[in-house]
């Protein structure tokens, strides 16, 4: 453990790996040989493949089976339907489904998200107030939806003032490019992809405390 503590000070990656180990440790009491982990296309989820390659869980008598879902929502719902043992989720997604009566246990909070999630508008939109009555693409019932709620509220608008278009976060750039929506809310790397076709207008830089991984 001495060497791990020394390396931990130098590497954010190791810090996340140690968090993964904490999650996996909780399953030793169950004596499970295979732990299924639900992830989606959000980049920090890739840490599970690192854990799988390092074979560290093997020391606990288990191995990982990683299942990738196309969206936050499908990943989280699959977890609460009992299809996976662990899900890599944001804090909001966890609380949202927990409050609907679907129970789970929070194992570790890895970080706060500052700047990696945000809104991109069409080039013609120069301010949030111009979005009233406009179409906004967002993955509903996720933390992106919660971020949109906060952005609108901060500019004296509500979700009822806009037209919501349900999309997967990874599709944000396509929808903005086609003109099907006038704004999107998504996360990296899809945030930067969408910004190629519009204007990055606000992000979690302005809302640093509302999103945790």
């Amino acid at each position: 453990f001495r060497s791990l503590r020394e390396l931990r000070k130098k590497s954010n990656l190791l810090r996340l790996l140690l968090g993964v180990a904490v999650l996996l440790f909780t399953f030793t009491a169950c004596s499970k040989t295979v732990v299924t982990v639900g992830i989606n296309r959000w980049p920090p989820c890739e840490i599970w493949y690192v854990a799988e390659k390092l074979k560290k869980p093997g020391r606990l008598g288990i191995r990982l089976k990683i299942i990738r879902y196309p969206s936050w929502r499908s990943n989280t719902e699959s977890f609460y339907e009992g299809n996976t043992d662990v899900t890599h989720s944001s804090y909001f997604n966890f609380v949202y489904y927990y409050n609907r009566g679907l129970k789970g246990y929070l194992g570790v909070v890895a970080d706060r998200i500052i700047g990696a999630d945000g809104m991109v508008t069409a080039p013609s939109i120069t301010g949030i107030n111009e979005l009233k009555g406009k179409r906004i693409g967002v993955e509903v019932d996720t933390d992106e939806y919660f971020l949109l709620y906060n952005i609108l509220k901060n500019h004296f608008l509500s979700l009822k003032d806009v037209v919501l278009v349900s999309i997967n976060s990874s599709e944000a750039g396509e929808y903005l490019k086609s003109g099907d929506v006038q704004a999107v809310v998504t996360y990296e790397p899809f945030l930067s992809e969408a910004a190629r076709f519009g204007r990055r207008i606000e992000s979690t830089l302005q809302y640093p405390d509302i999103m945790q991984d």
Side-chain angles (χ1 to χ4, degrees), residues 19-35:
V20 169
V22 169
L23 272 176
L24 295 175
F25 184 75
T26 63
F27 287 94
T28 58
C30 304
S31 299
K32 294 199 65 168
T33 56
V34 178
V35 173

Side-chain angles (χ1 to χ4, degrees), residues 3-20:
S3 60
L4 277 178
R5 280 199 295 267
E6 292 170 357
L7 287 171
R8 185 181 178 188
K9 297 176 182 178
K10 302 176 182 179
S11 172
N12 288 331
L13 179 61
L14 259 178
R15 201 160 60 227
L16 283 174
L17 280 173
L18 290 172
V20 169

Side-chain angles (χ1 to χ4, degrees), residues 69-133:
Y69 293 91
S71 67
W72 274 121
R73 185 172 186 174
S74 58
N75 179 15
T76 309
E77 287 183 343
S78 185
F79 169 73
Y80 283 115
E81 289 168 359
N83 298 323
T84 55
D85 301 305
V86 178
T87 182
H88 192 133
S89 176
S90 70
Y91 187 70
F92 173 80
N93 291 346
F94 172 82
V95 171
Y96 176 80
Y97 284 89
Y98 190 91
N99 285 339
R100 290 172 59 184
L102 306 171
K103 305 303 182 184
Y105 297 92
L106 181 62
V108 62
V109 175
D111 58 49
R112 290 189 304 159
I113 303 168
I114 304 176
D117 297 61
M119 174 184 282
V120 178
T121 65
S124 59
I125 304 293
T126 60
I128 302 295
N129 292 331
E130 298 174 26
L131 290 174
K132 188 171 184 178

